[in-house]
Amino acid sequence: MATFFGEVLSVYSRAVEEDDDDLDDENEDERIHREIEEKREVHIAWCPEVAQSLEGSGSNKLQCSDLIIAVGTNAAGFLSAYVLNTESWDAVGHVSLWNERSRGSSRQSIAPLPGEPACLFYRHRDNPAVLVCQSTCYIAEDQLFQWTEKVFGCLQKRGLSVMVLSDSPVAEYKTPDYLYGSAVPFLRSLKSSASKSQALCPALEQPNILTGLPAAVLSHCQVHQIPAVLYQCYTDVISPDSITMETYKPALLCLSKLVKLEPCLSADVLRKFAKVTEAQSNLYT
């Protein structure tokens, strides 16, 4: 091809260059997507004793008869005050993950700092088959399946029973009747088809639904035929308080043979786990 001035130019196809650019963009997108997946991967770190027992077992699974999962600050605070406050529990592991709202729990080899949102596992000293999990960190929707697969992948399903305690704002509770202030907080239950135990509170009415980690755990138990029961506490308090924590107390009575509850706690003990609600959003303070 020649220009008006007689210069000869090489013929090139713009379509070929565009295909090369598209291929480069696709490779770049795949690389970015792969990096995001690796960054958002869920990891479980066990203490040396548990890790050794996992490696020593032929199936790489822990013997577990009862798994108690607390999701939310009040549910986790209840376990801290009424269950884990005794000297019969040892911290045996934690879940590390990263997302936009849980940046501090991404350290794989380092346990979360005290007071930091985290997901911790505890094991009973006298009965090592009883595990407690406290989850106060945010778990994104794309990480819920990973969490359930990796946590339950470490546990033997035969003879396993699961109990979930979960917090939920009362504003999300749907009912045709008016809720009086004296009725809050209150419990609702939901269980898998494999669970034969009788719930200690009314069942969750339609059209109410579960979301987040409690829904993922119950769905996993339903699919794998694991007996599971969930107790969801609807409360009008954002920060942990003793009244909301005590709402969970009847839910653990069925495990009284396995888990020792503190019958009555002093105000000093509760003060460590329950934050005093301050009117920070008050216009006049």
Side-chain angles (χ1 to χ4, degrees), residues 10-282:
S10 59
V11 180
Y12 68 94
S13 174
R14 188 172 60 184
V16 174
E17 289 190 354
E18 290 179 351
D19 291 341
D20 293 340
D21 293 339
D22 292 341
L23 184 60
D24 292 339
D25 292 339
E26 290 179 1
N27 294 335
E28 182 71 14
D29 292 341
E30 291 179 359
R31 184 184 64 82
I32 295 175
H33 185 68
R34 186 166 54 251
E35 290 178 354
I36 293 176
E37 285 185 344
E38 292 176 356
K39 191 174 184 179
R40 299 177 71 89
E41 187 175 356
V42 177
H43 302 274
I44 302 180
W46 298 104
C47 69
E49 181 182 355
V50 175
Q52 186 176 1
S53 62
L54 279 172
E55 295 175 358
S57 62
S59 58
N60 291 331
K61 295 181 183 296
L62 291 174
Q63 291 283 350
C64 183
S65 62
D66 293 271
L67 174 63
I68 308 171
I69 303 175
V71 183
T73 54
N74 277 300
F78 166 76
L79 289 184
S80 295
Y82 287 91
V83 180
L84 300 175
N85 194 34
T86 63
E87 298 180 355
S88 303
W89 299 88
D90 294 320
V92 294
H94 69 275
V95 174
S96 60
L97 54 89
W98 182 96
N99 55 55
E100 290 75 9
R101 293 172 57 181
S102 295
R103 302 175 184 271
S105 57
S106 59
R107 300 181 299 271
Q108 298 182 24
S109 58
I110 303 177
L113 300 175
E116 183 180 29
C119 183
L120 304 174
F121 289 92
Y122 299 87
R123 187 168 66 173
H124 201 276
R125 292 180 183 175
D126 300 330
N127 191 352
V130 179
L131 286 178
V132 165
C133 174
Q134 286 182 309
S135 179
T136 56
C137 64
Y138 173 76
I139 303 175
E141 290 185 4
D142 61 314
Q143 296 173 320
L144 294 173
F145 180 77
Q146 289 188 62
W147 195 99
T148 55
E149 287 294 316
K150 293 191 175 183
V151 170
F152 284 94
C154 297
L155 307 177
Q156 284 199 357
K157 297 181 176 63
R158 179 177 297 179
L160 174 64
S161 296
V162 179
M163 175 180 289
V164 182
L165 309 179
S166 172
D167 297 344
S168 182
V170 72
E172 296 182 1
Y173 182 73
K174 300 177 179 63
T175 176
D177 302 324
Y178 176 76
L179 284 177
Y180 295 94
S182 58
V184 180
F186 58 91
L187 281 179
R188 289 295 183 267
S189 64
L190 200 61
K191 59 182 182 178
S192 63
S193 58
S195 177
K196 305 303 180 183
S197 61
Q198 186 174 1
L200 302 177
C201 66
L204 184 65
E205 306 91 340
Q206 295 183 352
N208 293 286
I209 60 173
L210 298 177
T211 59
L213 185 59
V217 170
L218 201 62
S219 298
H220 181 92
C221 294
Q222 177 67 25
V223 171
H224 295 277
Q225 294 297 306
I226 300 174
V229 58
L230 178 141
Y231 293 98
Q232 182 139 299
C233 178
Y234 290 93
T235 178
D236 55 353
V237 180
I238 299 177
S239 59
D241 71 305
S242 58
I243 297 177
T244 304
M245 290 181 189
E246 289 179 351
T247 307
Y248 289 109
K249 205 170 182 179
L252 285 184
L253 293 180
C254 56
L255 295 178
S256 58
K257 297 181 180 180
L258 301 174
V259 179
K260 180 182 178 182
L261 294 178
E262 288 292 334
C264 55
L265 296 176
S266 64
D268 294 335
V269 174
L270 282 177
R271 195 175 293 115
K272 293 193 305 182
F273 305 103
K275 298 178 182 178
V276 178
T277 304
E278 297 179 357
Q280 297 179 354
S281 60
N282 195 319

